[in-house]
Amino acid sequence: MTEHVPRRTAEPRRLRRTVVLALTGALAAAGLAVSAGAAQAADSLGSAATAKGRYFGTAVASGHLGETDYAATLDREFNAVTPENEMKWDATESSRGNFTFGAADQIVSHAKAKGMKVRGHTLVWYSQLPGWVGGLGASDLQNAMDNHITQVMQHYKGQIYAWDVVNEAFQDGGSGARRSSPFQDKLGDGYIEHAFRTAHSVDPAAKLCYNDYNTDGVNAKSNAVYAMVKDFKQRGVPIDCVGFQSHFNSQSPVPGDYQANLQRFADLGVDVQITELDIEGSGSAQATNYGNVVKACLAVSRCTGMTVWGVTDKYSWRSSGTPLLFDGNYGKKPAYDAVLAALGGSSSGGGTDPGDGGGSTKSCTATYTETQRWGDRFNGQVTIRAGSSALSGWKVPVTVHSPQKVSTTWSGNPSWDAGGNVMTMASTGGLAAGATTSFGFTVMANGTWTAPAVGACTAS
Ligand code: XIL
């Protein structure tokens, strides 16, 4: 490869800038139109679930909302969100009485703007609990718990579909016992009931859930939760729903009696929800498991919705197990297709591509990786993946950080802005549905090693 200076066009400087700004605006407008259009379409997880009277949600991390592909995938596919960490006690009240809602507010306002439901997660949990809580004596702890529930629920009053009031209060294994925690150890068994009663007094419109894991099939732990819920319903303790986290892998596979277990809880007179679904694995095995979970929920009339625990494998809390529906490039995995099929939806690429007549379904994603580095420069590679329709072309803007300069490019047609920092790379040909291709470039660092900003891929 011979290094050379970036190719430039011959237009006068001002005209070039105008053209680039207009082009950028047009691309942004096209991008918005694509997500807004698709959000209404019948070929997304959310719309397919809605047609079945359910929601389809995902855990969201506020820190990723600024990433174009993340937000576009979220907005296109999901109609419910659960803040992955932002509403937990350590995030909302890290020191006593000082409440911070900034990160959670970001998620809630995004969700509201898009008409998505919000699951509140979680008010009382032994984990991600600031140290000061564990240091309190019993009566102080009771006050702190009541105040925490009250302040957090009041802040979001009217905006939360369902709250995980208490999370993971039972031990694993065969004992059916409560898990040790500051709440359990100092307040005793009654703390769960107390938490639900307090929550109900603050926001009577929100559904109040108990949420746990390893309770997905019939076993000693789920039996213990079942007995508690049954007792609550008999005595009028305000509980509306039970959440089944459903974190599955080879050690903890989808149980054969998953549906039966959901049904027995529903028969107690509560809604059931799949709250944190992820299934480690890949390919058709993972797809089959996902399809079965969705079918189980649909078979239980009180299973009101499903939430997967993240948008993309790359940000999953169990990333190495690739447990989610979208890969690290936001490509749809076989598991996605299985979920959509189980929901009765159909992929936009399937057979009848509306083409140019009925609103294009063409889409693509772009992902950056640095492939090599020397003392003065590095090579970047951008991988383009076509969505479920074939593309005749694509474009991706790449911005380097001055004083960096792109010295070489390959496998694409670059054009430049006036300053030479924004390179728009266009395809040299078409791309089959679901296929990937890549282009590359060398960046002279000139002392700055920040990775280039890779914008959204525009399909044509
Ligand atoms: C996890 C988050 O995904 C991680 O980002 C965090 O570091 C730890 O917590 N059960 C729950 C969730 O109820 O809150 C947990 O989320 C996963 C297990």
Side-chain angles (χ1 to χ4, degrees), residues 263-274:
Q263 187 65 60
R264 73 168 174 151
F265 277 86
D267 290 343
L268 291 175
V270 288
D271 289 345
V272 294
Q273 295 164 2
I274 297 168

Side-chain angles (χ1 to χ4, degrees), residues 163-225:
W163 269 108
D164 291 331
V165 178
V166 177
N167 197 36
E168 301 182 352
F170 286 82
Q171 274 180 26
D172 288 321
S175 71
R178 301 289 184 87
R179 181 194 291 275
S180 167
S181 72
F183 309 107
Q184 180 66 36
D185 302 347
K186 292 180 185 158
L187 307 178
D189 283 357
Y191 87 89
I192 301 183
E193 171 174 351
H194 187 94
F196 275 86
R197 290 192 188 279
T198 305
H200 181 70
S201 73
V202 182
D203 187 354
K207 286 187 183 289
L208 305 180
C209 304
Y210 176 79
N211 190 53
D212 214 329
Y213 69 96
N214 281 354
T215 49
D216 311 298
V218 176
N219 58 39
K221 189 174 176 182
S222 67
N223 286 345
V225 175

